[in-house]
Each structure stands twice: as C-alpha cells, then as structure tokens.
Amino acid sequence: GLGDVYKRQLLFTQSDEINWKIFEINIDGSGLRQVSQTPDDVDSFEPIYLPDGRILFSSNAPFQCVPCWHGVEEKFVANLYRMNADGSGMRRLCFDQDHDMHPFVRHSGQIIYSRWDYTGINRLFLRPLMTMNPDGTAQRAAYGSNSWFPNGLYSPKELPGQTGKFLSVLAGYHGSNRSGTLAVVDLNQGTHEG
C-alpha cells in the first residue's frame, strides 16, 4: 500500500542546466530515478504522493504570467498537475491565472494547497489556503478567502491526529521568500480572518 511507499521512498525536486525535475529515491539512497517527463522548457516541482500512488506536483507548463508581470517577463505561473508513479499521464488539475503551490494530502485524502489569488477584497495581497479532491474536483477556499489578515499562508501541513489544524508559514506578500512565522490555522474555529 501507499503507507509502505512512504517508508521506503521519497520524492524530491532537483534542477540542472535545463529545468527542474522530479526524482524518486529509496530512503537507503539506492534506486534513484527521474519521474517527471516534461519538455526542456517546463519545470516540475513540489511533488507529493497521492493516496492512490500517483504523484501530485506543481508545474509551469501552462506558460502564463500573473497580471502584475504583464505577460512580458519569463516568470511563469505554476498550477497543480497529477501523473502516474512512472511519470506518464501528466494531467492538469488546476486552471488558475495565478500560482497553486505547496500541496499536502489531508487526513481526509483531500489536498490542501496555497493559491496566489487575485480575487477578493484585497486582491493582489491574498494567499489563501485552498482544498480539492486528488482528481482536481471540488476546488474551494479552505481558509483566508476575503481576509485582510493573514494575507499569506504557505506550506500548510495538517497536524498528526488533529483534523482541520494546520501548521503553516504566515508571511507577507512580497520580499519574504515564503519565510515568516510558523502559525497554527484551525479550520474548526473558522475560515476567515483571525
């Protein structure tokens, strides 16, 4: 089962002179193999195992820019994709104009992730937590939509045995490089503001 995979293997991202690629390796250091099979101008990163053994990851394959980059800079949006364990069958799950990043499998089997969102009351400052099924269906805001604070939540991880409680990096919009204060976000207490 998938539990056995977690004990024996791990996924990671590594770059070379061409792009960012996803690799898998046994925890003893053996069996290194490249998983992602994208063209040279496409990056793949932030991989996680899904409950069915497939892999969810971020990729800049859409070749689109966020509005503040005016579509002229070579900084491309990352959306979430799924692929088979052997790297085949790459399929786009999110179709957003902005970044979807930092996916994590919740206790329920759903995915929680951060979205760079240009909607809501404070538009360009918002980085809410989103959730969806592993096949990309039922996408919805989980926490922070239309909130003035906190405005940036990154790398959410559901706490062991505590459904709805997430450890997340609380940070600003720019200049933080997704670093900041560790905070516990409890969806059981609400989904908006503090």
Side-chain angles (χ1 to χ4, degrees):
L2 187 57
D4 295 333
V5 171
Y6 287 135
K7 296 175 188 171
R8 296 188 326 256
Q9 299 168 311
L10 60 90
L11 295 166
F12 67 95
T13 304
Q14 183 172 325
S15 67
D16 58 21
E17 63 280 353
I18 299 170
N19 63 7
W20 289 88
K21 297 173 175 64
I22 295 173
F23 290 85
E24 184 179 63
I25 193 168
N26 295 325
I27 59 170
D28 66 3
S30 66
L32 176 66
R33 71 180 183 94
Q34 181 180 325
V35 180
S36 57
Q37 302 174 11
T38 57
D40 290 348
D41 56 353
V42 173
D43 295 310
S44 299
F45 47 95
E46 297 183 332
I48 60 169
Y49 291 108
L50 291 172
D52 66 3
R54 287 186 275 190
I55 297 168
L56 184 76
F57 62 102
S58 295
S59 178
N60 63 358
F63 284 98
Q64 62 197 47
C65 292
V66 293
C68 65
W69 289 334
H70 312 293
V72 296
E73 295 188 36
E74 290 189 18
K75 297 177 182 177
F76 297 111
V77 166
N79 272 197
L80 296 179
Y81 285 76
R82 184 182 67 197
M83 66 181 158
N84 297 323
D86 65 1
S88 66
M90 182 174 163
R91 179 175 177 254
R92 187 174 178 182
L93 300 182
C94 294
F95 294 82
D96 298 307
Q97 74 170 357
D98 310 309
H99 296 289
D100 294 316
M101 51 199 161
H102 315 302
F104 183 80
V105 178
R106 301 179 65 180
H107 302 316
S108 65
Q110 288 189 317
I111 308 304
I112 193 158
Y113 58 99
S114 301
R115 176 181 285 169
W116 181 336
D117 212 344
Y118 271 99
T119 61
I121 56 176
N122 55 0
R123 298 179 310 138
L124 68 119
F125 300 109
L126 195 57
R127 306 291 180 272
L129 298 181
M130 303 293 290
T131 190
M132 69 178 181
N133 293 328
D135 65 359
T137 60
Q139 293 181 23
R140 64 176 177 81
Y143 182 82
S145 183
N146 290 314
S147 295
W148 284 101
F149 180 85
N151 66 0
L153 292 165
Y154 304 100
S155 302
K157 307 286 187 263
E158 195 162 26
L159 296 172
Q162 298 186 51
T163 300
K165 281 188 168 182
F166 298 87
L167 184 65
S168 186
V169 176
L170 171 65
Y173 163 61
H174 271 318
S176 67
N177 295 317
R178 294 180 190 88
S179 62
T181 302
L182 286 176
V184 174
V185 175
D186 187 352
L187 302 184
N188 304 302
Q189 299 296 315
T191 61
H192 183 260
E193 300 288 345

